[in-house]
Amino acid sequence: MSLWTSLEPASATVDPGDSTRVRLRLRNTGDVVDEYRFEPVGDIAPWTTVEPQTLRLFPGTTGTVELTFAPPRTPDATAGPNPYAVRITPTEHPEAVTVPEGNLTITPFTQVRAELVPPTVKGRFRGRPRLAVDNLGNTKVTASVSGSDNGDQLSYDIHPSNVQIEPGRAAFVKATLRPRKIIWFGAKEQRPYTLAVQRSGASAVPVEGTYLQRGFLPRWLATFFGVLVALSITFVMLWIAYQPRFGTGANEKVAEAGSTLAPAPSAPAPQPPPLSSAPETPSMPPQESKDGADADPKGGDGGGGGAPAATVTAKPPADTAATAVRRLAKNDPGGRHICYRAFVAGEGWQKPVCDGTMTGRTGSDAKIKALNVSTTGVAGSAANAFVNDPQSTDGKGHYEKWTAIVADGKDNYIGRAAKDAPNMSGFAINVGDGRICQTSSVWSRAWGAQTCGDQRPAIVFAGTLDNGVWLEAVKLTV
C-alpha cells in the first residue's frame, strides 16, 4: 500500500442542527506523484462534506483534508453512534482504494407536537375527538395522555392512555368525553377542555379543544309540548263545563207516582230531527296517477279541458374529470391536458380542476379517499391507489390493483368513494405518450417538490408510503 491515513479524532460528537469537523491526514508512501479523490460513504454521507475533494502529493509528503458533519435537526438524524467512512481513490493506482473509518455520535433531542382532530366535537351524551401525537425528535418518546377542564364538567375515557412513538412517527389516541350533567331542554353549551401529553422530566404539551353539548330536546319542542298540554287542559275543562245531559221523563214520573199514587200520563220522549230528503254526497279527493297527474274521479280520460300530464325532468349528468377535459379538447384540438377531482371524506366529490390546479384541501382533517382523472393528447392513463392499512406491521400502507389503460376523454377512478373506505396516502400514475408531473401535500407536512415520470411503463408517485398520514391535496400536469 502506498498511502498512510489517520483520522483526528477518530470519534466525534455533534448536536442535530449543528456541525463538527474531523481532520483526515494522509501521506504518500509510494515513489511516484499521485492525486487522491475523496468520497464520503455510509448512512451519514449525505450530511458529510470533504474539503478539498482532491489532493495531489509528492512521494514522502503529507497532506490534510477536513471532514465536516452537519446532521439536520430531524428524525432522520438517528441518535447514538453512527459509523462513517471516506473512500480514497489514487489516480495512478485506482485499484488500491483505501477506506479509513471513524465514529460520529449524534446527540438525542426530543420534539413532540400534538393536534386534536377535530378541535370541536358535538354531541348530546358524548363526544369522540382523536389526538394525533407526532414525534419530531430523533429518539423514542414515551408519554401519557390525560384530560381536564374548568369546573369538572366532563369525564374522560382515553385509549391508549400511554403511548410509545418511534422517531418520525405519529400515534393516534382516541378520547371519549361525557358530560356529567345532561341538558334536557335548551340551547347548546360550549365546554372547553384540555388534553395534555406528559413526558417524564418535561413540561406537558397541552392541546385545547371544545365540546359542544346539545340539549336532549330542542327548545322549540319544549314550547310545543307546553302549548299542547295547555290546549289539552283547556279542552277538558270546556268539555266538563258544557257536557250535555241525557235523560227521559220516565224518571220524573216515577218520582211523582210515589207521592200521588195516581200516575199521570207521561209525556212522549223528544224525537231526533228528521233526516233531509236528499243525502249529501261526500267529496272525494282526486286520485294520483302513476305519472304524477290528477286522474278523473269518474274514470274519464281527461280529455276536453283536463289538466295536462306532468313532465319528468331528467337529472343533469355529473361534472366529472372526463367532461372537463373534453371541454378543453374542444377548444384546443391536439393539445395535452389532464383534469382531475378528489373525493374528500365528509364533503364528497369536489368540482374537477385541470393542468396544475390544486384538488383537495390543506390545513385541516381533509382525507382524500378517491381520485377521478381524465386526459387528452397523451394516449390514455393508468393508475393505482396506495391506501392506509390498519393491519400494517411495517408502518406502511398497501397498493390496490392497477386500473386498465383508460383512453383519452374517459374517466379513470382510483380509491373508493365510500364512508368506510381507507384513506389514500399516495398513488402511482402514468400516461402513454410524453411525461406526467405531480406535486402533492400530505397531512402534517409541507408540499413536496415536483416530480415527473416518462411515458408508460415508467410511473410517477405522489404522496407518501407512511401509514400514519394521508393525502390532502394534489396537482397534476402533462
Side-chain angles (χ1 to χ4, degrees):
M1 181 180 295
S2 61
L3 183 66
W4 170 86
T5 62
S6 174
L7 287 169
E8 300 174 355
S11 297
T13 302
V14 64
D15 296 327
D18 202 351
S19 64
T20 189
R21 294 182 179 182
V22 171
R23 179 176 297 175
L24 172 61
R25 297 180 61 197
L26 63 161
R27 180 186 302 119
N28 183 356
T29 59
D31 53 3
V32 296
V33 178
D34 209 342
E35 185 177 56
Y36 303 94
R37 289 182 287 109
F38 306 94
E39 180 186 3
V41 294
D43 293 338
I44 63 174
W47 315 321
T48 307
T49 57
V50 182
E51 291 292 339
Q53 294 183 349
T54 61
L55 186 63
R56 186 179 180 86
L57 295 177
F58 287 90
T61 60
T62 302
T64 302
V65 297
E66 286 193 347
L67 309 179
T68 303
F69 304 99
R73 192 175 176 83
T74 65
D76 297 330
T78 306
N82 292 267
Y84 69 89
V86 179
R87 180 187 292 117
I88 306 174
T89 305
T91 303
E92 296 297 329
H93 302 282
E95 71 283 354
V97 175
T98 302
V99 185
E101 297 180 355
N103 186 71
L104 179 69
T105 300
I106 300 177
T107 60
F109 77 96
T110 304
Q111 184 178 350
V112 174
R113 181 180 64 187
E115 181 181 3
L116 273 172
V117 184
T120 300
V121 292
K122 304 175 182 178
R124 292 180 174 85
F125 305 108
R126 65 181 63 86
R128 292 191 175 95
R130 289 200 309 165
L131 181 67
V133 185
D134 295 297
N135 181 3
L136 305 180
N138 65 349
T139 184
K140 182 187 292 187
V141 166
T142 301
S144 61
V145 181
S146 60
S148 62
D149 61 274
N150 293 330
D152 196 25
Q153 297 175 335
L154 302 172
S155 64
Y156 303 86
D157 183 11
I158 298 174
H159 181 76
S161 58
N162 294 281
V163 293
Q164 283 190 342
I165 314 171
E166 296 293 334
R169 300 285 180 161
F172 290 89
V173 178
K174 297 180 180 180
T176 301
L177 315 178
R178 291 186 176 86
R180 299 188 185 278
K181 294 183 180 180
I182 298 175
I183 303 175
W184 294 104
F185 296 97
K188 306 172 184 176
E189 291 189 12
Q190 292 188 356
R191 306 198 185 280
Y193 68 94
T194 301
L195 295 183
V197 180
Q198 180 67 59
R199 294 179 292 113
S200 177
S203 300
V205 178
V207 185
E208 297 182 351
T210 302
Y211 172 59
L212 193 61
Q213 185 179 357
R214 297 170 173 169
F216 182 72
L217 295 175
R219 186 183 296 273
W220 67 265
L221 191 59
T223 303
F224 172 77
F225 280 136
V227 173
L228 183 62
V229 170
L231 290 176
S232 300
I233 294 174
T234 302
F235 177 77
V236 172
M237 297 300 294
L238 291 175
W239 173 263
I240 294 174
Y242 295 98
Q243 182 178 7
R245 299 177 180 272
F246 296 97
T248 63
N251 294 333
E252 298 177 358
K253 297 304 178 183
V254 171
E256 292 177 2
S259 58
T260 60
L261 299 178
S266 61
Q271 299 295 322
L275 297 173
S276 61
S277 59
E280 216 178 80
T281 302
S283 62
M284 301 293 291
Q287 301 297 317
E288 187 178 14
S289 64
K290 292 182 180 180
D291 60 357
D294 291 341
D296 189 350
K298 295 182 180 180
D301 59 359
T311 59
V312 179
T313 303
K315 184 178 180 180
D319 191 9
T320 67
T323 60
V325 85
R326 286 197 292 266
R327 287 194 295 266
L328 290 178
K330 184 178 180 181
N331 296 326
D332 182 21
R336 294 167 55 86
H337 300 285
I338 183 169
C339 295
Y340 42 93
R341 58 175 180 152
F343 185 90
V344 180
E347 297 182 11
W349 284 110
Q350 296 185 340
K351 291 186 176 297
V353 296
C354 303
D355 298 334
T357 305
M358 183 186 79
T359 187
R361 184 159 54 83
T362 59
S364 64
D365 186 23
K367 305 177 179 68
I368 293 181
K369 291 181 174 290
L371 285 173
N372 170 211
V373 182
S374 186
T375 58
T376 182
V378 296
S381 66
N384 190 354
F386 193 86
V387 299
N388 294 146
D389 184 1
Q391 307 299 325
S392 174
T393 59
D394 60 357
K396 297 181 181 180
H398 68 269
Y399 275 109
E400 296 189 334
K401 293 183 179 179
W402 274 91
T403 64
I405 298 175
V406 179
D408 283 345
K410 301 294 184 180
D411 280 312
N412 191 355
Y413 290 92
I414 57 174
R416 285 180 284 153
K419 181 179 180 181
D420 57 350
N423 304 322
M424 288 179 58
S425 56
F427 65 95
I429 189 169
N430 63 16
V431 294
D433 183 21
R435 306 185 75 196
I436 180 171
C437 299
Q438 68 82 26
T439 310
S440 56
S441 172
V442 297
W443 178 76
S444 78
R445 301 179 185 176
W447 279 92
Q450 185 185 63
T451 58
C452 301
D454 293 329
Q455 63 192 33
R456 196 176 300 113
I459 66 169
V460 63
F461 181 82
T464 179
L465 303 179
D466 194 340
N467 200 43
V469 295
W470 53 82
L471 188 65
E472 284 187 326
V474 67
K475 304 174 185 177
L476 297 175
T477 56
V478 293

